[in-house]
Amino acid sequence: MDRSRNATAQVFEHLREKIVTNVLAPGTVLARQQLADYFKLSTTPIRDALLRLEEERLVDIYPQHLTRVSAIDLASARQAHVLRLSVELETAHQLCQRRPPTLDGALADLLARQRMALERDDLESFARADLEFHQTLYTAADVVDLWHLVRRLSGNLDRLRRLHLPLNSKARRILDDHGEIAAAIAAGASERARDAVRRHLSGTLSELDALREKYPDFVLPPASG
């Protein structure tokens, strides 16, 4: 714990990362006292962090009983997809119109990082560079507040994306899509960039049936008990 930062925020960030990356699977019990002991905190910041996770539909809180990690909320994931697609289609269009001079180099560096991570089969580093690629687009378009909004609402969508990442050459397709988006923006080709964004962001939800079949515990309610 960084004692110079808000304790609730740090607990929230830690637990959210574990849930979004599927380290904590649906049904995992998050006991307040155990978490308080782990973080060396009182139960108050733990409670507040869990309430924030509940607001993002990542945990279910049963008052006076227990808190556990939720199954993936598909309605939440679909709504996050609509929001993200809408924002990034417009962002790509704007960037094609004014093409910030440093953007091409920044995207090229991130593509190189993703390529190296894929060659090492390092999906954690690949996923981080994936997020940075998109954040760079939002920053270049001067809509950073929208980046934070999209991230806050995308927890369940991100859980699906992380399940999908190791399957069916998904990581390679992400890299190819990023390359196409970067090339279209560099060329100022708005329609081409928007088509690449639409294709890129629609991949995971189009594979929902396959993901449900492979990971039934993640997309169905966890067993009661």
Side-chain angles (χ1 to χ4, degrees), residues 131-143:
L131 278 178
E132 288 184 45
F133 181 93
H134 289 274
Q135 184 177 13
T136 298
L137 297 178
Y138 283 69
T139 300
D142 197 24
V143 289

Side-chain angles (χ1 to χ4, degrees), residues 174-211:
I174 289 173
L175 180 58
D176 291 344
D177 288 346
H178 282 183
E180 177 62 20
I181 292 167
I185 290 173
S190 177
E191 285 305 310
R192 180 177 151 202
R194 287 163 61 88
D195 286 346
V197 167
R198 185 177 289 105
R199 181 176 61 251
H200 175 53
L201 294 184
S202 299
T204 292
L205 288 183
S206 69
E207 296 291 330
L208 187 55
D209 289 342
L211 292 171

